[in-house]
Amino acid sequence: EVVVRADGTKAIRVTKKRKTMMTNAERNRRSRRTFVMLLLVGMLICGGFVGFFMFRMTSMNGSGYLTEQEQRLAQAWGATQVRCSGSNIDGMELSVASIVAEFPEDAFLQRVELSDVKATLSASTFLSGNIKADELSIGRANIQLAPAARELKMPRQQGADLWRIKRIVCADLNVSFGGAETESPVVLRQAPAYMYGSSSTRVVMLNGGLLMMRGWKPVSLTEGKMRFTPTSIEDITLRGTTDPTRKKADGRPEITVMLAGTIEGGAPLAGPLMLD
């Protein structure tokens, strides 16, 4: 490098660098050390995750976690009390023998009983502690609407979603007003149903069941649909027949009853109401 001194003369500056030469054996030893260190770090991280998962699984089977879930479910559902029994988590499989929720006197719901509840949990359940699954199955669901719910007013949404479930499948859905079915003006019995959607919009579909309305013949349902939003129940549609033996040309039961309507927030059932 040619440099100019302060007095104007030029000089050549030489910079010497030391280069360390490594043999192939030394390079291999360094690579092996690096690999072993990375492997140990990875094993420590994996061991930490496994230990945390095992701890979370064990704690989620404890009575303390069950009591906490009951309290949080009661708050999220606006219930006065929620009782869970027979809860167990075996690996990724959740099973609950029964969930019973009771609600205040001024609520839309009076009592909800769910039995034989099962789900395959996602891995994120054990990170957050909240139940998350693609599908939750319910063997039997008994829903008692409050006597005041005969006005069919839209219930107010309370709390936030606690369990993150994409689809809910129920093999036997039963709905009535108040206590005994004999005192209820409308009863839905033994209806296979499923629900899907997000927290903003959820759709409930019925694939059968028996609809009993006071003063009417029992209606064998062929289809039912309800769309729930935070402020309304939309697309309320029930189709069925009072005589399942009557068939159309394509072999399907002849539709003799069809009800449709909408419930806006805080308002009773509104039209158009149709009866075939």
Side-chain angles (χ1 to χ4, degrees), residues 106-109 145 152-158 228-233 263-267:
D106 58 348
F108 186 82
L109 296 170
L145 305 179
L152 291 178
K153 289 186 177 180
M154 171 64 190
R156 293 181 176 87
Q157 186 177 18
Q158 302 183 65
F228 289 82
T229 72
T231 58
S232 66
I233 305 177
I263 302 176
E264 296 292 339

Side-chain angles (χ1 to χ4, degrees), residues 44-150:
L44 288 174
I45 294 175
C46 291
F49 271 109
V50 171
F52 179 79
F53 267 64
M54 295 298 294
F55 170 77
R56 179 71 79 175
M57 287 181 180
T58 303
S59 63
M60 289 178 70
N61 273 320
S63 59
Y65 178 81
L66 185 61
T67 301
E68 178 188 359
Q69 287 295 300
E70 290 175 345
Q71 296 173 350
R72 297 180 67 186
L73 284 173
Q75 182 179 6
W77 292 350
T80 56
Q81 185 181 37
V82 174
R83 299 188 303 276
C84 302
S85 62
S87 174
N88 180 59
I89 296 178
D90 184 7
M92 305 296 286
E93 301 299 323
L94 166 71
S95 62
V96 183
S98 68
I99 300 176
V100 178
E102 298 178 352
F103 296 82
E105 294 183 358
D106 58 348
F108 186 82
L109 296 170
Q110 178 172 305
R111 183 182 176 90
V112 173
E113 299 179 8
L114 309 177
S115 60
D116 195 19
V117 179
K118 297 180 180 179
T120 300
L121 303 176
S122 65
S124 58
T125 296
F126 303 102
L127 295 177
S128 64
N130 294 330
I131 302 298
K132 296 182 180 180
D134 288 337
E135 182 175 293
L136 181 139
S137 66
I138 301 172
R140 181 180 176 88
N142 293 330
I143 300 177
Q144 293 180 5
L145 305 179
R150 297 181 184 185

